[in-house]
Every structure is written in C-alpha cells, then in structure tokens.
Amino acid sequence: MNEKNTSRYDDLLFLPHPTSRKHPRMSMQERAAQFAPFAALTGYDDAVKETARLTQEKIELSDGDKELLNRRLCMVRDCIAMQPELTVTYFVPDSRKSGGAYRTVCSTAKKVDPNEKKLILEGEIAVPFEEIIELQGVIFGTQEMQ
C-alpha cells in the first residue's frame, strides 16, 4: 500500500467505539453464540447414537433349564413367608430396537404371582417368568443351573 491509503483513515483509528442509545451492548457470550455451529439436521446426532447403541439377543433356555427354573419358582412360592433372598438374572427387552439387556438383581422375594406370571421382588421389581434365565439363592442349596 502506498502512503496515501494508510494516512487517509488514520483519523478514524483512534475514535471511541460508537454506542447505541436504543440497544444495550451485547455480552461476549451473546456475541460468541452468533458464531456457534448450526445443526441443520436436528436429531441426527441422537439417531446416530441410538444406532450405535448395542443390545443383546435373548438366550433361549433348554427344556431342562426351563424345568429347573420352574421347580425353583415353585420352591420360592412355597417359602415366600420366609421372604428368601434371591439372585435373579433376567432379560429386559429394549423398547426401541430388537434385543435388550440382561440384568442381575439380588433382592428379597415378596410374591410369586401365577396369574400375572411374575416374580415380585422387594422394591416393586416385577420380573416376568419367561424373562428369567437364572434363579439362585440359599433356599436352593448348592444345585446350580447349567
């Protein structure tokens, strides 16, 4: 640049910043928000995360395992007055996609409901019979499911 162009605006360089009487000055945060990234596809990040979320397939029990589980549920029903401590492993189906997750809970048995086909545990945990894959507790002795 030549000397003429730089000196032409020298008088403007040191003037005070103009302030509006109608509009208050914007904070640094508000100014920065103007330049924040714009998400053109709302919900896209959530959809990607949901697709990436892993689920497990439900295990199919053998007839022998189902029979053993049924006997154990009958034992729990017969001993319910003692409120036995149980360790229950069961399948929780996923509400959004196929599959689900396995959950293991150690709790006191409160009720075996044959009408609803559910095992009710302390804390109002209701476990459907068909979702249980393992049932352990002192009342069963040392016998374990394979």
Side-chain angles (χ1 to χ4, degrees):
M1 296 182 137
N2 62 27
E3 191 68 19
K4 187 176 181 182
N5 288 347
T6 55
S7 63
R8 192 168 153 187
Y9 299 105
D10 281 347
D11 58 335
L12 298 176
L13 285 175
F14 300 104
L15 287 177
H17 190 318
T19 305
S20 171
R21 291 184 183 136
K22 293 180 182 179
H23 303 289
R25 201 163 195 180
M26 225 186 248
S27 72
M28 291 298 266
Q29 276 186 323
E30 290 172 317
R31 290 178 57 137
Q34 291 180 356
F35 301 102
F38 173 70
L41 299 173
T42 56
Y44 180 73
D45 287 339
D46 293 335
V48 169
K49 286 177 187 173
E50 178 61 25
T51 303
R53 189 173 56 85
L54 299 176
T55 58
Q56 295 174 306
E57 292 300 315
K58 185 176 178 181
I59 298 169
E60 274 302 314
L61 295 177
S62 69
D63 289 339
D65 287 341
K66 287 178 186 177
E67 187 178 321
L68 177 60
L69 195 54
N70 188 43
R71 281 195 312 252
R72 287 187 174 197
L73 283 168
C74 290
M75 287 175 71
V76 172
R77 181 196 62 212
D78 295 343
C79 299
I80 202 69
M82 296 173 13
Q83 294 188 334
E85 189 74 25
L86 301 174
T87 301
V88 184
T89 302
Y90 61 100
F91 184 74
V92 179
D94 195 293
S95 61
R96 296 186 196 154
K97 58 198 292 188
S98 67
Y102 282 94
R103 187 173 294 156
T104 300
V105 177
C106 296
S107 187
T108 303
K110 293 292 183 184
K111 182 179 178 183
V112 176
D113 189 342
N115 296 329
E116 293 287 322
K117 297 184 179 179
K118 291 183 178 179
L119 172 64
I120 311 297
L121 302 171
E122 189 172 276
E124 300 304 314
I125 300 169
V127 182
F129 293 163
E130 69 270 4
E131 304 299 349
I132 299 172
I133 64 157
E134 190 171 41
L135 191 56
Q136 294 182 346
V138 176
I139 64 169
F140 308 125
T142 58
Q143 182 184 18
E144 295 203 13
M145 291 179 65
Q146 276 103 1

